[in-house]
Amino acid sequence: MIRIAAVGDVHMDEDVVGRFRPALDQLPEQADVLLLAGDLTRHGTESEARCVATEFGGLGVPVIAVLGNHDHHCDQVPQVVKVLEDAGILVLEGDATVVEHDGVRLGVAGVKGFGGGFAGRSASAFGEPEMKAFIKTTDDSADSLAAALIGLRCDIRVALTHYAPVPETLAGEPPEIYPFLGSYLLGQAIDAAPTALAIHGHAHSGSERGTTPGGVRVRNVAHPVIKQAYSVFHVGDQGH
Ligand SMILES: [Fe+2]
Ligand SMILES: [Fe+2]
């Protein structure tokens, strides 16, 4: 059994520093690892990344993150990643890591992901080059997630994304914006390997629980949804 804490969409800036820390200081008693599901900052600046480092650095458990769309906004991704990694926060994008706890190897594969929508109502790579580029971004992201999950050698596999892999966890959002909140291609990628849990954020007005077509439990941990510093999931090596 491994205990996985997760939160997304903390949207840190100087005004938010300190909001999560009291609960985070208790985290090592509650969980063995912390996953951050993107939108760690408001606008993706280096100074906001330093706020993330202050709040989520030095927790005493491994912290593994993906970035979100907000973390890309100011085109400072390399600087943001460097600040986070200097604080000991591992940032995944199309790759994976394994952390060991009490002899159990937890594998986490992460990508930001992208939009496109869900089966029956999804965008397709047809027509203008801009439309093809949009869908290629999602396609490439999903492919790298699938490859990272399949390549993991571990006891428990977890997928970490910012964008949603299923529509169930978007319930509460306006249906018109579902194509900007996630893609079924991410769900297919998660189902490409025996994944125990899929964590995402991004959908602030969405719902907490969903399941991929292949039966993998999906949890939207966007802070406005879970309304706490983090949720904790207990995952056994049978995937339950
Ligand atoms: Fe967000
Ligand atoms: Fe987002």
Side-chain angles (χ1 to χ4, degrees), residues 9 11 38-39 69-70 162 202 204:
D9 301 87
H11 290 281
D39 279 2
N69 54 315
H70 282 247
H162 180 60
H202 192 44
H204 293 205

Side-chain angles (χ1 to χ4, degrees), residues 17 24 70 84 87-88 99 134 158-159 167 180-181 198-199 212:
V17 172
L24 292 171
H70 282 247
L84 297 181
V99 295
F134 177 38
V158 171
F180 305 106
L181 296 177
I199 296 289
T212 66

Side-chain angles (χ1 to χ4, degrees), residues 138-163:
T138 310
D139 239 334
D140 290 349
S141 183
D143 286 351
S144 69
L145 177 61
L149 283 166
I150 291 166
L152 272 168
R153 295 288 167 266
C154 60
D155 303 305
I156 299 169
R157 257 185 203 79
V158 171
L160 176 63
T161 63
H162 180 60
Y163 284 77

